[in-house]
């Protein structure tokens, strides 16, 4: 009985010992540190430092922003004074600003004649006569300053308001509904696109201003000078005068003077600011043409084979007039024609 008891007492010790040993050496317990140090955790800084974030400064300094000052100083702003004050009708209240300050800009036309914006350095340089085409002649500086002043005074009188209250200088409305940028007053015969009458049919209906004899005499002198033919001058009998005033934005498209029944020469005189005068061919408005600069006092006569040539004024050259003339801004063009009409 005693031996049996010893075996029973040993058996519990083996169980306890086995149990203790298994509990201390479980293989799954050390796996916890691997879970606690997952490799995905360090990836967070890479997401927080995406390469697109530094691109924001480049977007904030787009190159379009500095362009705003250029838009704010458009070159048309200086034109406001000429709109507010009319140098033709309110000349006494205006003062000349900065005589002949435009820098010279050369341009070459088809026949090799170079025109320039007049500057103080070249104002005294002589300009040669130029034959624009057969029968078309440009005579620079034909009118002296005194004659220019007389013609300017007359233009101001013709441009005064009519008895009806309508302005003398008016924008002509075309059949298409458009309005010409130049302002016009007519002498002798009133021009309305595209015919002549003795009354201002598109205005107050009153009589047109008379064509003065002294202006006709000036036209005869002009033809004789241009063609160097006194007989041609004596035979010239103009009875139409068109006075066109161009502000610095006005222009005249290529056109023919073909509403007259007579084909005697057209005489053109310039006062005030210079312009680019374009003289084309007789067939159409396309090239070839000749561009020439016309200054105050210049004369152009075109007749004969060039009588129906297309011609126009693509631009005015502001600030180029002689301040001694008294026209503060803009250009006056006085043209004379022979109507060939009765009455």
């Amino acid at each position: 009985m005693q031996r049996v008891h010893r075996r029973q007492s040993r058996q519990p010790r083996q169980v306890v010992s086995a149990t203790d040993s298994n509990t201390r050496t479980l293989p799954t317990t050390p796996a916890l540190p691997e879970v606690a140090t997952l490799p995905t955790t360090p990836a967070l800084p890479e997401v927080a430092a995406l390469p697109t974030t530094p691109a924001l400064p480049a977007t904030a300094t787009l190159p379009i922003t500095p362009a705003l000052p250029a838009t704010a100083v458009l070159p048309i702003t200086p034109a406001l004074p000429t709109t507010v004050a009319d140098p033709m009708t309110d000349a006494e209240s205006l003062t000349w600003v900065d005589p002949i300050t435009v820098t010279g800009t050369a341009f070459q036309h088809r026949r090799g004649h170079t025109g320039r914006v007049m500057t103080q350095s070249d104002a005294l340089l002589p300009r040669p006569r130029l034959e624009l085409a057969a029968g078309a002649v440009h005579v620079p500086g034909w009118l002296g300053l005194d004659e220019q002043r007389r013609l300017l005074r007359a233009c101001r009188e013709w441009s005064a308001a009519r008895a009806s209250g309508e302005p003398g200088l008016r924008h002509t409305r075309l059949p298409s509904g458009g309005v010409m940028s130049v302002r016009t007053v007519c002498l002798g015969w009133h021009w309305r696109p595209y015919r002549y009458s003795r009354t201002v049919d598109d205005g107050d209906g009153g009589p047109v201003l008379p064509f003065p004899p002294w202006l006709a005499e000036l036209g005869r002198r002009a033809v004789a000078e241009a063609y160097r033919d006194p007989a041609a001058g004596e035979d010239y009998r103009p009875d139409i005068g068109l006075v066109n005033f161009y502000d610095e934005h006005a222009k005249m498209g290529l056109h023919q003077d073909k509403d007259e029944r007579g084909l005697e020469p057209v005489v053109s005189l310039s006062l005030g600011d210079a312009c680019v005068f374009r003289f084309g061919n007789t067939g159409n408005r396309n090239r070839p043409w000749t561009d020439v600069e016309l200054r105050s006092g210049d004369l152009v006569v075109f007749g004969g084979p060039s009588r129906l040539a297309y011609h126009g004024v693509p631009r005015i050259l502001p600030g180029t007039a002689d301040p001694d003339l008294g026209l503060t801004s803009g250009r006056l063009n006085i043209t004379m024609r022979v109507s060939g009409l009765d009455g």
Side-chain angles (χ1 to χ4, degrees):
M1 295 294 295
Q2 188 176 0
R3 185 175 299 174
V4 173
H5 178 74
R6 289 178 180 172
R7 289 178 182 173
Q8 291 176 348
S9 62
R10 290 176 186 170
Q11 189 171 359
R13 276 190 292 226
Q14 291 176 353
V15 172
V16 172
S17 175
T19 303
D20 292 342
S21 175
N22 292 336
T23 303
R24 285 193 301 269
T25 58
L26 288 173
T28 59
T29 304
L32 292 173
E34 295 178 7
V35 175
T37 56
L38 291 173
T40 58
T41 303
L44 292 174
E46 295 180 6
V47 176
L50 291 173
T52 58
T53 303
L56 290 174
T59 305
T61 56
L62 291 174
I64 193 173
T65 303
L68 290 174
T71 305
V73 290
L74 291 173
I76 62 171
T77 304
L80 290 175
T82 59
T83 303
V84 174
D86 187 344
M88 284 299 300
T89 58
D90 193 25
E92 300 302 325
S93 65
L94 298 177
T95 56
W96 181 263
V97 179
D98 227 350
I100 313 176
T101 56
V102 179
T103 57
T105 303
F107 59 91
Q108 191 78 19
H109 61 61
R110 179 179 63 84
R111 296 179 65 87
H113 179 73
T114 301
R116 293 184 38 152
V117 179
M118 185 171 65
T119 63
Q120 290 176 336
S121 62
D122 67 3
L124 300 179
L125 296 178
R127 293 175 295 148
R129 293 167 57 101
L130 179 68
E131 186 180 69
L132 304 173
V137 182
H138 170 215
V139 184
W142 182 66
L143 285 177
L145 184 58
D146 288 342
E147 285 190 296
Q148 292 180 52
R149 286 172 172 167
R150 179 190 180 187
L151 193 54
L152 176 60
R153 286 194 298 270
C155 288
R156 287 197 168 114
E157 292 174 2
W158 298 327
S159 304
R162 295 172 59 84
S164 64
E166 285 195 359
L169 278 173
R170 303 166 58 247
H171 292 283
T172 300
R173 184 172 295 277
L174 302 174
S176 63
V179 177
M180 296 178 65
S181 59
V182 301
R183 287 184 286 166
T184 305
V185 61
C186 302
L187 310 173
W189 290 86
H190 180 75
W191 179 76
R192 174 186 179 185
Y194 294 97
R195 61 185 179 86
Y196 287 102
S197 68
R198 288 294 194 182
T199 54
V200 185
D201 296 340
D202 55 350
D204 58 13
V208 66
L209 294 175
F211 187 92
W214 66 263
L215 188 60
E217 180 59 31
L218 186 63
R220 283 188 282 274
R221 283 177 46 207
V223 171
E225 174 66 29
Y227 293 147
R228 292 174 172 166
D229 183 357
E234 291 175 3
D235 293 338
Y236 189 60
R237 295 289 185 269
D239 59 346
I240 297 173
L242 296 185
V243 180
N244 289 326
F245 177 71
Y246 295 75
D247 63 25
E248 63 180 279
H249 304 295
K251 59 185 66 176
M252 181 78 71
L254 288 173
H255 65 282
Q256 294 174 302
D257 293 342
K258 61 180 182 180
D259 297 329
E260 303 79 24
R261 292 183 183 175
L263 290 179
E264 286 81 359
V266 173
V267 172
S268 172
L269 297 169
S270 296
L271 295 176
D273 283 337
C275 76
V276 176
F277 177 65
R278 178 163 292 170
F279 195 80
N281 61 83
T282 58
N284 52 54
R285 293 182 175 86
N286 301 327
R287 295 178 185 273
W289 60 54
T290 296
D291 283 352
V292 62
E293 180 186 309
L294 299 184
R295 301 178 188 172
S296 190
D298 283 9
L299 164 68
V300 172
V301 176
F302 55 97
S306 294
R307 174 58 178 81
L308 295 180
Y310 285 88
H311 57 283
V313 177
R315 65 189 178 103
I316 301 298
L317 307 175
T320 52
D322 184 349
D324 292 333
L325 173 62
L327 183 60
T328 57
S329 64
R331 172 184 182 255
L332 278 167
N333 178 225
I334 301 94
T335 63
M336 290 174 261
R337 306 115 186 262
V338 176
S339 70
L341 299 169
D342 296 328

